Amino acid sequence: MGPTRALTRALGGNGVLLMAILVAALNLRTPLTALPPVVSEVSVELQLTAATAGLLTGIPVLCFALTTPAAAALLGRISLRSGVLLALLLVLAGTCLRSVDLGGLAVAGAFAGTVLIGLGITTANVAVPMITQRTFPTRVSTVTGIYTAVINTGTMVSTALTAPLAHLIGWRWALASWAVLGVLAVAWWWLAVPTEGGRRGHPLPQEGSRPARAAGSGEVRDAVGGRSVLREKYTWALCVMFGMQASSYYGLTAWLPLILADLAEVPVSASGAAASLFQGFAVLGSLGASVGIRYAGLRPSFIAIACGWLSLPLALLVAPGVWMVGVSLAGAAQGANFVLVFTLISRRFASVHRARKASATVQSVGYSLAAVAPTMVGGVHTLTGGWQVPVAIVAGALVIMTVLGVLLTGSRTPRA
């Protein structure tokens, strides 16, 4: 009996699939967060300006915003297993292409590789929630929480280790070294996850459901009944809610070390490590969210999340001395809120077909707002000469998120 078959027999098909999801999760932010620690070395060797280097780090978020609808359409036509394999292969190819020395084409290779990474992660961002809803329908928040925690763990590890690796072996090999995770993930999905013809109960088949047109109305209706998710106010309210979450996250992440140094008087040499708490506590928030949702319910959990999120801008503006509390609570909150958003999608849109469309719409709108957030925050800082106004704008975005979140978590979430 081979190792894959033995593991399948021991854990069950769903256990093997969960492990596959988690191995894939290690690849869904790691190539992105590995670049900032060595971006100065990359800029020097490739002769990039500051603006061009910023574009290199921002391309994946633009891919999230612009190509999510196309990724969702593709996943409506191929099996989810094939979709995740394609996503992982794109990330793996992009990681290698970005790192290879192509001589006069090195800059083009770096940008092309980054685009491939962005396209792969975008596809996985849509596929994994679909797999979670289909295979773990009663444990969506739990699986999403574990999945998000693994993503955040990979983020912390790559952020911490890439610079030391670059010092030893150079930035190209340091960035390329994360391709090992991609090889592992591709191998696991290829060998362990059953194909469309796999054992009964365990395959990941093609979605196969298409929109149906309501007789005599001309309105496109989903395959399981009901009007298109694009016609529901709930979908667009969720778009804005997630947009405020994502733009606040990316807007703060880009500038948090400088904000802490200015407003909280954290030494510049320590501000990077202080800001890393924001990412580190996201792991705890992702894991804790599923527990809170399961035992306290959606609305109480979200209220706690919103309070934690708001504690950071309020601490920076009103009581900078307690910045560590704000950074820790907000870090946990942003990780937890990601889980809650996709739990709302799975509960409101019970069929995989409707959930796919809703998830694609929410992510496309949300990441579009997130893509411009770092530039906007930096621009406001330049105009005002300080960080108080940019932080206040982030606080305003979080207030909008809170109002919508309270309304959405109190809405009925029917199941088909």
Side-chain angles (χ1 to χ4, degrees), residues 270-344:
S271 61
S276 68
L277 291 173
F278 186 64
Q279 307 297 338
F281 273 86
V283 177
L284 299 179
S286 302
L287 295 173
S290 59
V291 178
I293 292 170
R294 185 171 183 82
Y295 292 102
L298 284 169
R299 178 171 279 178
S301 297
F302 176 75
I303 291 174
I305 289 169
C307 290
W309 236 129
L310 283 165
S311 68
L312 177 55
L314 293 179
L316 292 172
L317 294 173
V318 179
V322 297
W323 65 267
M324 189 175 293
V325 175
V327 168
S328 302
L329 290 177
Q334 57 95 356
N337 203 37
F338 185 89
V339 177
L340 186 136
V341 167
F342 286 92
T343 300
L344 287 175

Side-chain angles (χ1 to χ4, degrees), residues 12-22 131 135-136 188-189 193 204:
N14 290 352
V16 173
L17 181 57
L18 177 59
M19 288 299 300
I21 290 173
L22 300 185
I131 294 171
T135 312
F136 309 96
W188 187 279
W189 277 86
V193 179
L204 287 176

